Amino acid sequence: MGDVSDRIGRPTDNGQIGIIDPDCRLIGLHLYDGLFKVIPFDNKGQLKEAFNIRLEELQVLDIKFLYGCSKPTIVVLYQDNKDARHVKTYEVALKDKDFVEGPWSQNNLDNGANLLIPVPPPLCGVIIIGEETIVYCSANAFKAIPIRPSITRAYGRVDADGSRYLLGDHTGLLHLLVITHEKERVTGLKIELLGETSIASTISYLDNAFVYIGSSYGDSQLVKLNLQPDAKGSYVEVLERYVNLGPIVDFCVVDLERQGQGQVVTCSGAYKDGSLRIVRNGIGINEQASVELQGIKGMWSLRSSTDDPFDTFLVVSFISETRILAMNIEDELEETEIEGFCSQVQTLFCHDAVFNQLVQVTSSSVRLVNSTSRELRNEWNARPGYSINVATANATQVLLATGGGHLVYLEIGDGVLTEVKLAQLEYEISCLDINPIGENSNYSQLAAVGMWTDISVRIFSLPDLNLITKEPLGGEIIPRSVLLCVFEGISYLLCALGDGHLLNFLLNTSTGELADRKKVSLGTQPITLRTFSSKNTTHVFAASDRPTVIYSSNKKLLYSNVNLKEVSHMCPFNSAAFPDSLAIAKEGELTIGTIDDIQKLHIRSIPLGEHVRRICHQEQSRTFAICSLKLNQSSTEDSETHYIRLLDDQTFEFISTYQLDTFEYACSILSCSFSDDSNVYYCAGTAYVLPEENEPTKGRILVFIVEDGKLQLIAEKETKGSVYSLNAFNGKLLAGINQKIQLYKWMLREDGTRELQSECGHHGHILALYVQTRGDFIVVGDLMKSISLLIYKHEEGAIEERARDYNANWMSAVEILDDDIYLGAENNFNLFTVRKNSEGATDEERGRLEVAGEYHLGEFVNRFRHGSLVMRLPDSDVGQIPTVIFGTVNGVIGVIASLPHEQYLFLEKLQSNLRKVIKGVGGLSHEQWRSFNNEKKVVDARNFLDGDLIESFLDLNRSKMDEVSKAMNVTVEELCKRVEELTRLH
C-alpha cells in the first residue's frame, strides 16, 4: 500500500489512467499532465519504488500497453496544439527510468479519435476508435473503415485472440467489430449493428453470448446476443436490469400517499436513459378488498380441510361476538356460519387442527369442530370459578391460562381433546406461544410464557410443563406477545412489551436456553406478533401504532416499517382469490391486501427516454413539473430541444408540454404563490445558450398556471443572463441570475393581467448557482467563492451581504440547516458547514461565516432537500431529529441528521472505538478517507460522523461487540439499542 500522489503537477483533464503491462512487469499511471508514473514489479510480484518519466505529449486522450513486445511498450493517443490527433509508441526502459522511441507511430488520425484497444497475440497491434473511422494499426499493417458518426464509450473483448470486440456508443447502440485475418496477417475490419442497450460505461463478455452492460447513465443490464434477430431486427435480448439511480441531477421529497411518509422522486439517468425514479422506504400493502368493521379484537384464518392449500374462513372476534367471513363464488367476502363455533362470545384463539378439525377457544371452553361438516365434535370446559384469559394452539396442541396462575396443556386427537397437564405458576400469565419450530411442523416441544408481576418470559417443555428457562425482562412493562420463530435456520424467541419495545433472543431448541438478548423500540403502543409467509419465506408482522415487518438477511434481523398508520391485528389470509394475502385490522376497517417484496427500499422507474434535469411538485394541482431535453439526431448534426412538462402525480403521465425556444435551456423550476394572489404558479428560469458566448447573456423567467391539466403561460420576464435558481421569498420571487441575486414582485397591471417587476438586487458573486432562503435571510452558494449570507431589508427594500466564508470552495449544493448553520457540498466531494457568528465582537467577526464542520463524503452532491424517507413519530426518540436528504452523481441517496450534542458525543466515542475494531478494505484508514481534502488542504473530519460505520456495529460478531462495549463501558444491549434507533432515521 502506498501513495502515488505528487506534490506538484497539474491533474489530467481527461481523467486518470491506470494500466498494467500484459506480462506483469509494471503498472503505468497517468495522473498529471506531462508525467507517466511507473511502478515496477520484482520477480516475486512485489511492488518496487515508483518513479516518474517525462511525457512530451501534454494533451493525452488514452494510453494502453501493447501485447507481444519484448520490452514493456505503451501506445499514446494525444492531441497537439493545432487540435490534430496522433498515436505514438514508447518502450519503457526500467533501468534508465526513461522512454525509448517505440517501433511505430501514426499521425493525423480522425479528429474524434478517443479510444485505444490493444489487440492480444497472435495479431497484436492496436485498434483506434474515432468518431467517423476505426483504424487497425501495428508495426506492419494499417487498415481503416468508415463508420456512422458516433462516440464510442466502452468496449468489451469477445474472443481470447482479440478478433472480435463489442463497442457501445453514446446513444446506447451496441456494435460488433470483427478483425478479419489470415493466420497472423490482418486483412481488414468489419462492423455490424447488434441492437440497443443502456448507454454503456463498461462491457464484459461473460460466456455463451451473455454480456454484462455496466451503465453509469441508466440501469446496468445482463443481455444475451441471439443468432437470429427479433421482429425489430435486434440481436440483443435484455434478461435482467440492475437498478442505478445515477446521475441524480435533481429530486424532490413528496408525500404522495398523504400518510406522513416522504418519498423521493429523482431525475435520474442521462440522455435516452433519462427517467424519474420514485424511491420509498418501508413495505407497502396493496389493498385488494376492504370492509368497514369497528372494534376488532382478533383475527385468524382457517382452512376447510387439513390438506387444502388455501384458507377458506376468516374468523373475526369482537368484544361480545365472533363473526366468520368466507370467500363466495364471486370472490367476495361474505358472512357465513361455522355451526360448531360459539358466536355469541369473544374468541380468544382459533387454529386449524389435524384430522380436518378446527379449534376455537373462548373464555369458558375449547371447542373442536369438524372443518367440512362444521359440527361440534368435542368440548373441554374450564373448571367452575375459572375462566380462560390467554390461549394459544397449533395443529395438535392447545395451551391455556386460566386465572390464578394456572397453565393448562391439552392435546388434540381425532374428535378428542385430552387434558395432559396442569401447572400452577406463582403469578398471572400475560401471553403464550407454542408455534412449532422443531422437526415436526404440527407439534411443539417448547412453550413460551410471558408473566405479570415478575415481568419475565419463561420457556417450558411440553408435554410435561417443566420450567427450563426463566428470563427477567427488567422494567415495569409486561410482555404482551411472545413468539417462537425461525429465520434462515436460526431459532429466535421474540417478546413484545406493552410500550412498543421488542426483545429478541437466540433460542437453543434442544436445551431451551436463551442468549444474545437485543432490544429495539418499534413504536409506543402494545405490539402483537404474528408469522406470515411471502415468496416461501417466513417473516413476522408486528402490529402496533408503527406496524413493522421483521425479517432476516445475512443471518441478521432487520426491521422494515409498513406504510400503514396503525394496525391492531393482522393474520395471513391465503385464499384462492387472494393468494399470499394478509388480513389487516386498522381503525374501523378490515383490509385484505398483498405485501410488497420484503426489502428496505422500493424503487419504481418511470422511463421518459429523455434527459430530466429539474423537478418540483405542486400539491394543489396534484402535478409535477419537470425540465427535460431531448436529443434530435439528424445526419448532419445533433441538436437539443428543451421542454417544460407537466405530469400527473399519481400516474406520472405527461399531461401538458411547453417547448422552449431554440438554444433555450431550462435551468430552474419552482412552485410558489405570490402575496395578494391566491393562485399557485409554476415559475421556470431559462438561459439562451449560444455557441459563441462563454456565459449566457440572456434568459427568461416564465410564470405558468395549471388550468384543466394544462400549462398556461401567464407572464414572462426577460433577464440579462441564466436564471440558475428560483426561490419563493416573502410572497415575491428571488432569482439567481449569472453573478447577481434579483428580487421580483408580482404586480397587477391596469388591464388586470400580471407581471414580474424587478424590486432590488445584489451583485458581487462569480455565478450565483445555488440559493436557499429562510425568513429574510438568503444563503448563496457560488461557483467558486463558497457560501455567503445576504439579508433583505424591508424598510430600504434592499438586499445586503451580512457575512461570507472567505475560503475558496467550488460549490455544488447548499442548504440551510437552521437559523445559524448552513450546509454546503463542493466539487472535491467534501461536505462542510458554516456558522453565522451573530455574537461576534467586531464587524469583521460578524462578517465572517466560520467553518463549523468538515467531512469527505467521496460523492459529488447535486442537491440537498429537507425531509425524510421514514414516518417520523413525534413521540419517538428520533422523531425530533431534523434530517436533510442528498442525491449524488453516482446515484447515491443519503441522509444527514442534525444530532443533539449529548448523542453526538456518545456516537463520536463509539465511532473512534469502531475504527480500532473494523478494518477498511485494503487496510485503508477510515480517518484519512473521511478527512476534508481539496487542492489547498487536508484536515481531519470534524462535527460529522459516519453513520454507515456506526451502523456496521450491528453486523459485528459477538466477541467484537464485547470488545467495543468494554472500551465504551456500556452494555452490548444498550449499544445495539442506541444504534438501532439511529437506523430508524432512514
Side-chain angles (χ1 to χ4, degrees), residues 97-126:
K97 300 194 174 178
D98 205 353
F99 284 140
V100 178
E101 281 287 320
W104 55 270
S105 66
Q106 181 68 45
N107 288 348
N108 298 325
L109 295 157
D110 176 343
N111 276 345
N114 63 350
L115 182 65
L116 298 172
I117 304 178
V119 181
L123 303 176
C124 301
V126 67

Side-chain angles (χ1 to χ4, degrees), residues 944-986:
F944 275 95
L945 296 177
D946 186 340
D948 293 312
L949 175 72
I950 291 171
E951 285 183 16
S952 66
F953 173 75
L954 299 172
D955 300 334
L956 295 177
N957 58 34
R958 190 67 192 205
S959 63
K960 292 254 172 84
M961 280 186 175
D962 288 335
E963 202 179 313
V964 175
S965 146
K966 208 178 259 149
M968 291 280 295
N969 206 2
V970 178
T971 63
V972 170
E973 188 185 339
E974 176 65 15
L975 283 175
C976 285
K977 182 174 176 237
R978 304 262 317 235
V979 176
E980 284 278 4
E981 268 164 19
L982 263 196
T983 63
R984 292 275 151 145
L985 283 170
H986 56 81

Side-chain angles (χ1 to χ4, degrees), residues 904-919:
Y904 178 87
L905 293 175
F906 176 83
L907 293 170
E908 185 177 39
K909 189 173 164 195
L910 177 57
Q911 174 175 281
S912 67
N913 280 302
L914 283 172
R915 277 175 172 166
K916 297 171 194 154
V917 173
I918 298 174
K919 289 289 168 268

Side-chain angles (χ1 to χ4, degrees), residues 426-431 449-458 470-480 482 495-499 501 503 505 514 517 519:
E426 63 272 44
Y427 306 117
E428 288 286 359
I429 293 161
S430 65
C431 50
V449 179
M451 303 294 291
W452 285 79
T453 318
D454 72 344
I455 316 282
S456 67
V457 62
R458 305 180 183 195
K470 177 173 163 185
E471 175 77 31
L473 302 176
E476 282 85 78
I477 311 292
I478 61 155
R480 293 293 285 266
V482 284
C495 175
L497 307 184
D499 63 354
H501 277 89
L503 292 131
F505 303 90
L514 299 175
R517 160 183 177 142
K519 184 176 184 180

Side-chain angles (χ1 to χ4, degrees), residues 406-425:
H406 286 118
L407 187 58
V408 185
Y409 169 62
L410 315 175
E411 288 191 352
I412 300 168
D414 194 350
V416 288
L417 281 167
T418 320
E419 182 177 326
V420 177
K421 184 83 177 155
L422 180 138
Q424 167 75 52
L425 308 185

